[in-house]
Amino acid sequence: MKFNGTEIFIETLQGTGDSNFVLIHNAGADHRFFTYQLDLLRQFGDVIQFDLPGSGKSPPIASYTMADLSSIVVAICKQLSLKELCLVGLNNGANIALETTLRGSISIEKLILIDPPIFMDSSFVEEIEASIAVLEKAEFTPPFVASFVDQLFLHADSSTKEIAIDAFNRVDKNSLSALFRGLLDWDARPKGILKNISCPTLCILTDEHHCSYEKMRREAPHFELGKVIGSKCWATLEVPDQVNAMIGRFLKLHSSI
């Protein structure tokens, strides 16, 4: 699919239900971060996976505001004439899913948010700014990536780690830096935006400090909120059994919506 002249990698996997799941991966990664969710989701419908610009098989674009990234999701949904939409976002991808829903230009039936970095405290903002500095100093090298991945997995096998290592070694470093800056700009918005999300929403948090359970419960009491045990921000890869159990239950409960 072309977006403003840039060819975006996109793939549709046929399922057996009526839903259409659009998977939005995290900053610096690619569509493979949902590898262990595909079989489950295809029991409920078709799965549309793609690589954000500058990641995986998609080349970079000029601007990475949350509005830009949301526009890509909207373009995919409109080009494929998708109905019964459920957006599934991981980390920064969850924020893109929220922005897409808040814009209201397409109809979203359900949302699944996995560890969104939202309502970030000052220490986490400082960590992201430090990551931007590493990228801009060209220090995001393969040894750095390997150490980075090790720190963010509490317990994962080598093949799972390799998905993350390969994705982060492939990412365009300027794109990743711009993605982080776009995230910081978006999270500076006033609190209270989540009250405008009216569709059924599952939010799965982890042991990472992207967003606290208490903050999310306070800001979005209408969300169905869960938390995995023993995983940091990449729970889709590290503890897929826990993630999939919550997603499966959520989809069964809302299968008629």
Side-chain angles (χ1 to χ4, degrees):
M1 183 201 82
K2 283 193 177 295
F3 177 78
N4 292 341
T6 298
E7 190 69 36
I8 302 296
F9 168 79
I10 181 172
E11 181 179 36
T12 298
L13 305 175
Q14 298 296 321
T16 57
D18 296 327
S19 293
N20 285 288
F21 299 96
V22 177
L23 311 185
I24 313 171
H25 65 78
N26 45 322
D30 60 30
H31 67 279
R32 292 175 293 170
F33 271 59
F34 291 106
T35 295
Y36 303 137
Q37 284 68 55
L38 298 180
D39 288 345
L40 167 68
L41 295 175
R42 291 173 71 184
Q43 297 176 32
F44 295 89
D46 293 349
V47 176
I48 298 87
Q49 55 183 2
F50 72 102
D51 289 336
L52 290 169
S55 299
K57 301 178 182 178
S58 296
I61 55 176
S63 175
Y64 286 86
T65 67
M66 201 65 73
D68 296 323
L69 301 172
S70 172
S71 294
I72 294 173
V73 177
V74 171
I76 289 171
C77 295
K78 288 185 174 180
Q79 180 169 311
L80 298 179
S81 300
L82 300 179
K83 307 295 182 184
E84 302 295 326
L85 268 171
C86 177
L87 302 184
V88 185
L90 171 64
N91 303 154
N92 200 28
N95 297 52
I96 297 169
L98 285 169
E99 174 66 13
T100 304
T101 306
L102 289 166
R103 291 178 68 187
S105 54
I106 54 175
S107 178
I108 308 297
E109 298 294 325
K110 291 183 279 289
L111 275 178
I112 298 174
L113 313 172
I114 304 168
D115 213 29
I118 188 169
F119 315 127
M120 294 185 287
D121 59 32
S122 58
S123 64
F124 189 32
V125 170
E126 289 172 2
E127 285 184 26
I128 294 176
E129 291 173 340
S131 296
I132 293 172
V134 167
L135 288 161
E136 293 180 345
K137 293 176 183 177
E139 296 173 350
F140 202 76
T141 60
F144 180 92
V145 167
S147 175
F148 172 70
V149 168
D150 274 338
Q151 292 174 27
L152 287 178
F153 279 121
L154 296 177
H155 182 71
D157 59 34
S158 59
S159 60
T160 296
K161 285 186 178 182
E162 188 55 39
I163 291 173
I165 290 171
D166 185 62
F168 280 98
N169 279 329
R170 288 171 181 265
V171 70
D172 177 77
K173 308 307 185 286
N174 292 330
S175 297
L176 181 52
S177 177
L179 276 164
F180 283 147
R181 291 191 183 282
L183 171 63
L184 293 178
D185 290 341
W186 187 85
D187 195 54
R189 298 172 67 182
K191 301 296 186 289
I193 59 172
L194 297 188
K195 67 182 181 182
N196 298 315
I197 303 290
S198 59
C199 64
T201 300
L202 170 65
C203 182
I204 301 173
L205 302 180
T206 73
D207 292 342
E208 192 55 279
H209 54 295
H210 286 180
C211 178
S212 75
Y213 189 98
E214 292 75 19
K215 283 183 181 178
M216 186 60 77
R217 175 56 68 213
R218 182 171 63 249
E219 292 289 333
H222 55 303
F223 284 10
E224 296 180 38
L225 189 58
K227 185 179 182 301
V228 299
I229 298 171
S231 177
K232 293 191 174 182
C233 50
W234 300 331
T236 53
L237 288 176
E238 188 169 22
V239 288
D241 52 340
Q242 295 183 51
V243 171
N244 291 357
M246 284 187 270
I247 290 176
R249 184 63 176 171
F250 172 76
L251 294 176
K252 288 175 182 177
L253 288 173
H254 297 283
S255 60
S256 61
I257 295 177

